[in-house]
Amino acid sequence: MPSTIPAAPQAAHTRLAWLLLATATTACNAPAPPAEPVQAPQAAVATAPPLAPSLAHAPAVAPPPAPVRDAPPPAPAPAAAPVYAPAPAAYAEPALEQPPPVVAAWAPPPMRVEVPPPQPWPDAYWIGGYWAWQRDWVWVPARWARPPRPEYAWVQPYYEHRANRVVFINGFWAPPRYAFRPPPPTLRLQIDVDLHGAVQGPPPIGPQGVFVPPPPGSRPGLIVAAPLGTPPAVVLGAPPVIAAGMRIEGSVHNRMTQVHQTSDIAQNVVHNRVTIIAPPGATSGGRAFRAEVPAAAHLAAAMARPGTAPPQPMHAQAPAPALAVAPPPPHAAPPRPAHELSLIHI
């Protein structure tokens, strides 16, 4: 016999079925939810291991800098060869008699230009500047000077080329009738030089015998052959020389004439002239040179500048006899021809 379901429970079951059907229909018609974005897998990051407890709170220390390698020092420049320079100018009171000769190890430097100012007093003598040996060549400045005693005459410095050395006698004041004695060839002298840190100059370049230093601007070491008693200032107007060959020819003398026996004494000086000669290969310009110049220091020095006219003759000066060269001592070798000239009175 078929079972019978009460009406109330049957209605409840019918409503539940319709509810389930409606829910299923709604779920089927609902839109699908958006798909979640797919992230790419991250690469594994290496992490440092945790610090030890004692280093966890230690301050950060920068790594040591890379060592800096200095560039190698530059190679030292070659040392320049020492250049000879003469000692500073100096002045010493001239002697009143002939000084002893000394031997210099190298030649005097070229001359320096010193033009004389006007004569300051009537009996003043012009002593031209020159190189003197004082264990080195020292420039003695030019000056006007009075004779230290009546009738004294100025004797020019003496230079002689002998065996690659220079025999030198300083300038001095000589009494009347004094006879200058050149060093005999047989005289043996020791070189007077201080070698403690001194830079030597070149030896004399030129012929043996008496000479004067070369003109200003010349090559150091060159010498100019000259008669005995020639003032060094005679070369001030000559061109510089770069090779040996310049020479001076002529004679040097004077004649003094006393007019009165009082202080008003006139002077009749014969300022003879000498000739300076140089071949073309000796001068710096490559030209031959020949000129006559006064054989007096003050007149020759006044011609050092081009276009400078020689000054007027000096005022009256005290007379003094010419100085003669003394004869050689007995049993001594006769002097060379370069010693045959008497000295001058400026």
Side-chain angles (χ1 to χ4, degrees):
M1 172 176 190
S3 61
T4 304
I5 301 174
Q10 186 176 4
H13 282 282
T14 302
R15 288 195 299 270
L16 179 60
W18 282 106
L19 179 62
L20 292 176
L21 179 63
T23 302
T25 304
T26 302
C28 293
N29 296 332
E36 295 183 359
V38 179
Q39 297 182 354
Q42 298 182 353
V45 179
T47 58
L51 296 174
S54 59
L55 301 178
H57 302 288
V61 178
V68 178
R69 298 183 180 274
D70 296 333
V83 179
Y84 170 72
Y91 172 77
E93 194 66 27
L96 301 183
E97 59 183 5
Q98 181 172 327
V102 295
V103 177
W106 54 87
M111 289 291 293
R112 295 178 177 178
V113 176
E114 291 180 326
V115 179
Q119 187 180 10
W121 49 81
D123 59 344
Y125 287 84
W126 176 253
I127 300 177
Y130 64 95
W131 290 104
W133 181 260
Q134 299 177 9
R135 311 201 81 178
D136 194 357
W137 290 112
V138 176
W139 180 255
V140 179
R143 63 200 181 279
W144 289 102
R146 281 192 176 101
R149 296 176 184 176
E151 299 185 353
Y152 269 54
W154 174 253
V155 180
Q156 300 293 337
Y158 174 87
Y159 306 90
E160 180 188 347
H161 180 197
R162 185 183 298 187
N164 291 330
R165 297 290 185 263
V166 177
V167 179
F168 173 75
I169 298 178
N170 208 340
F172 63 99
W173 292 103
R177 296 175 298 278
Y178 179 81
F180 179 81
R181 296 182 180 273
T186 56
L187 182 64
R188 294 184 177 273
L189 298 172
Q190 185 177 2
I191 297 177
D192 179 32
V193 61
D194 185 4
L195 297 178
H196 297 288
V199 178
Q200 299 190 23
I205 305 172
Q208 302 280 324
V210 180
F211 71 89
V212 294
S218 298
R219 171 187 169 190
L222 293 175
I223 60 177
V224 178
L228 179 66
T230 301
V234 299
V235 300
L236 293 183
V241 290
I242 59 175
M246 178 175 284
R247 67 186 188 275
I248 299 175
E249 296 181 351
S251 60
V252 183
H253 65 275
N254 73 311
R255 182 177 69 241
M256 308 295 296
T257 302
Q258 182 173 339
V259 179
H260 300 288
Q261 297 294 333
T262 63
S263 58
D264 298 327
I265 299 175
Q267 175 181 247
N268 180 18
V269 181
V270 178
H271 291 299
N272 62 308
R273 304 174 73 84
V274 294
T275 303
I276 303 177
I277 304 172
T283 62
S284 59
R287 297 181 179 179
F289 179 79
R290 184 184 182 94
E292 290 188 355
V293 297
H298 73 289
L299 297 176
M303 300 176 64
R305 294 178 299 183
T308 302
Q312 297 297 322
M314 296 187 298
H315 296 86
Q317 299 182 355
L323 300 180
V325 178
H331 308 293
R336 280 173 274 187
H339 296 162
E340 295 177 351
L341 185 64
S342 62
L343 299 180
I344 70 166
H345 183 131
I346 304 176

